[in-house]
Amino acid sequence: MKVLLLNGPNLNLLGTRQPEIYGTITLLEITNAVSAKLSASGRTLESFQSNSEGALIDKIQESVDKISGLIINPAGLSHTSVSLRDALSCLSCPKVEVHISNIYAREDFRHHSYISPVVNCVISGAGVFGYQLAADYLISC
Ligand code: CA2
């Protein structure tokens, strides 16, 4: 059983900029921790980050019928992308949307996510621990 972890634009900068909002842990460290948790329950992890909306959509399309769960932090695309939402709608497996920060405690434009209605679970404001919570949710499914 394979889980896909997708991270959207600018999340490659985790741990290097704006630590007051996004913390000091890098995307590689997050990925390794999620991978370890999933492998303890017999699952494998594929991780993909892109600053390109199209590349993220391509990866989702390639993953249809090949994954048992998805964790996605769509980053800024959460608030703008109908196309990313449409792609996610084609995945029938359990899907979790993660936001490191509490998007409801930030600017108004972050309060709406196009993605939330097409996922099973939304985690926002738990810091990078949200990715671990997402993995636990998928393990419980
Ligand atoms: O809180 C989150 O995880 C967000 O998805 C992060 C997005 C933001 O647009 C969403 O509203 C909430 C921004 C990702 C930018 O990531 C950076 C990480 C380190 C340094 C700079 C940017």
Side-chain angles (χ1 to χ4, degrees):
M1 292 199 287
K2 184 164 87 171
V3 171
L4 179 62
L5 170 61
L6 285 182
N7 281 282
N10 299 307
L11 288 166
N12 54 309
L13 298 177
L14 278 176
T16 67
R17 304 263 193 290
Q18 295 186 261
E20 67 285 2
I21 303 176
Y22 300 115
T24 55
I25 296 176
T26 65
L27 189 54
L28 180 61
E29 290 170 324
I30 292 167
T31 302
N32 288 342
V34 171
S35 180
K37 181 180 278 290
L38 289 170
S39 75
S41 70
R43 292 161 174 84
T44 59
L45 182 72
E46 178 179 359
S47 179
F48 181 74
Q49 185 278 330
S50 182
N51 294 326
S52 158
E53 181 177 11
L56 292 164
I57 291 169
D58 286 343
K59 178 57 77 175
I60 292 166
Q61 289 185 3
E62 286 164 18
S63 302
V64 170
D65 297 332
K66 294 186 184 142
I67 56 171
S68 60
L70 174 91
I71 301 169
I72 183 167
N73 184 341
L77 295 173
S78 317
H79 318 300
T80 63
S81 181
V82 174
S83 300
L84 185 59
R85 172 191 173 131
D86 290 343
L88 289 169
S89 298
C90 298
L91 287 177
S92 55
C93 64
K95 300 176 278 282
V96 189
E97 176 183 2
V98 172
H99 296 286
I100 297 165
S101 62
N102 177 356
I103 58 173
Y104 303 102
R106 301 183 66 189
E107 303 95 323
D108 286 353
F109 68 84
R110 296 186 202 275
H111 296 182
H112 176 262
S113 166
Y114 282 98
I115 307 306
S116 298
V118 299
V119 297
N120 303 83
C121 171
V122 180
I123 298 165
S124 180
V128 297
F129 186 58
Y131 290 94
Q132 296 289 315
L133 295 173
D136 276 334
Y137 170 76
L138 291 178
I139 290 166
S140 81
C141 287

